[in-house]
Amino acid sequence: MTNPRWRGQPGRLEVWYTTLTDPTSGSGFWLHTELVAPTTGAAFVHGWAAAFPTDAAPTWERFGPTPADRLPPDELQGHAGALAWDLRCTDAGGPTLFTFPRYAWERELLPAAQIVPAPAALYDGTFTVGDRVFELHDARGASARIYG
């Protein structure tokens, strides 16, 4: 949806997150991935995923940390504990939403800024919770980014 912002400099954080709802079951899903570049030491990627089935207790799992050698993290494909996901954004649902003026994101003028490159997106694919597989088609959601 958008290219990564991080260019190897220390003291930076880049976040990708996506939420979506299965139109068939009403179940919700959340993905959150962070690239952390500390002021000292190697950069790493970690995050978490959560599933909120309408007919069962919520499940959440953490993943990472792993070395930050693959950018951008493909947040829409992965696994964490009992959760696995393989999703595709089929329609971003409109132009990027800039929560600060566009130039603040483009020129990195603030300590951090957020954008929503897929503000009313549709997703297809699967989200697995234990032995249960949710087949998703036209699941409405959104994907956002933070860089700071």
Side-chain angles (χ1 to χ4, degrees):
M1 281 176 258
T2 61
N3 292 326
R5 306 290 297 205
W6 186 64
R7 293 174 300 282
Q9 66 273 52
R12 304 301 288 178
L13 173 70
E14 189 157 3
V15 179
W16 293 257
Y17 59 97
T18 297
T19 60
L20 58 130
T21 302
D22 177 7
T24 303
S25 70
S27 298
F29 306 95
W30 177 40
L31 304 171
H32 181 104
T33 304
E34 295 182 353
L35 180 141
V36 179
T39 55
T40 60
F44 60 92
V45 174
H46 71 155
W48 48 92
F52 303 92
T54 57
D55 58 356
T59 302
W60 60 94
E61 300 277 1
R62 293 188 57 80
F63 56 88
T66 58
D69 58 1
R70 192 182 77 158
L71 292 175
D74 189 352
E75 183 187 52
L76 299 182
Q77 294 178 329
H79 58 87
L83 303 177
W85 53 97
D86 185 7
L87 304 168
R88 295 169 308 292
C89 181
T90 59
D91 181 356
T96 296
L97 171 65
F98 291 87
T99 59
F100 293 93
R102 180 183 193 127
Y103 62 83
W105 175 264
E106 291 173 347
R107 297 181 187 158
E108 298 179 11
L109 296 176
L110 300 172
Q114 176 188 29
I115 64 168
V116 186
L122 294 175
Y123 300 89
D124 287 350
T126 58
F127 204 108
T128 303
V129 181
D131 58 1
R132 184 175 184 186
V133 177
F134 291 86
E135 298 282 344
L136 304 173
H137 180 67
D138 288 342
R140 179 70 66 190
S143 288
R145 298 271 309 281
I146 299 171
Y147 185 67

